[in-house]
Amino acid sequence: MDSVNNGFGSARMTGSMEGATGGTLPPGLTEEEAEELRVELTKVEDEIQTLRQVLAAKERHAGDIKRQLGISPLNEIKQNISKGWQDVQSSNAYKKTQETLSQAGQVTSAALSSMGAAISERIGTMRLGYSVHHSLSMPSMRSSPSFRSFEDRVGSLRVTCLSYLCLL
């Protein structure tokens, strides 16, 4: 019994059980029944030890086979990660999140496109209303109907985007 024992040998467990009870039996348990239970415990602990040894031998054998096949621990990790990623992508939660983010992207894209068109339109309107040599001061530009309309659209775009994001 080598290092596979891990300190759980049957002699140690049985000895600790006897020491823990202090030699007194629980109520309703005869000495004969206690001895049968001790024998059964010893058998079960021996079986556990045997199974540990068999498992360790099987793990060593599996490792040898993997080395013969050229499967390194790094390749194994890569395969596990790849399999895990495929599992994640096929999950309902991932699909739902992907769909929601796609919709959010489409809404944002449409909103930005609309805002860009509004800006282009307003700039064109502002150019038509003023001569090329005329420069607008910022206060007068802010009071212009074009700038006010632009401000209103940006504000409503902000509200729309925020309310959509709150629904996610």
Side-chain angles (χ1 to χ4, degrees):
M1 311 222 172
D2 54 13
S3 63
V4 178
N5 188 331
N6 293 330
F8 294 109
S10 61
R12 294 180 93 187
M13 290 282 291
T14 306
S16 65
M17 287 296 292
E18 289 173 350
T21 61
T24 60
L25 297 174
L29 191 64
T30 66
E31 184 64 43
E32 186 177 294
E33 292 171 333
E35 186 57 35
E36 287 177 17
L37 289 175
R38 284 187 201 105
V39 168
E40 185 178 345
L41 178 61
T42 302
K43 286 180 183 178
V44 170
E45 289 173 341
D46 288 342
E47 289 175 10
I48 291 171
Q49 185 59 35
T50 301
L51 290 171
R52 283 189 179 124
Q53 291 172 348
V54 169
L55 178 61
K58 296 268 186 195
E59 287 175 338
R60 281 192 301 271
H61 184 63
D64 291 341
I65 292 172
K66 286 178 183 178
R67 276 189 289 283
Q68 289 172 355
L69 290 173
I71 300 173
S72 70
L74 182 59
N75 288 341
E76 214 169 337
I77 291 171
K78 286 179 184 177
Q79 289 173 352
N80 288 343
I81 290 173
S82 177
K83 173 84 169 86
W85 180 241
Q86 288 174 352
D87 291 347
V88 165
Q89 286 179 319
S90 65
S91 72
N92 288 334
Y94 180 84
K95 289 177 182 176
K96 178 74 173 161
T97 302
Q98 184 181 27
E99 180 182 315
T100 302
L101 290 176
S102 175
Q103 290 173 353
Q106 290 171 357
V107 167
T108 304
S109 177
L112 292 175
S113 176
S114 173
M115 188 174 77
I119 290 171
S120 295
E121 179 184 325
R122 296 302 174 206
I123 289 174
T125 306
M126 288 169 48
R127 282 186 181 164
L128 291 176
Y130 300 100
S131 70
V132 177
H133 300 292
H134 181 76
S135 67
L136 291 175
S137 67
M138 187 54 97
S140 66
M141 188 169 90
R142 281 191 175 162
S143 62
S144 73
S146 297
F147 191 84
R148 293 255 184 232
S149 175
F150 173 70
E151 261 186 337
D152 292 342
R153 284 194 183 208
V154 170
S156 66
L157 171 67
R158 179 182 165 272
V159 169
T160 302
C161 288
L162 287 176
S163 63
Y164 182 78
L165 290 175
C166 289
L167 295 175
L168 299 179

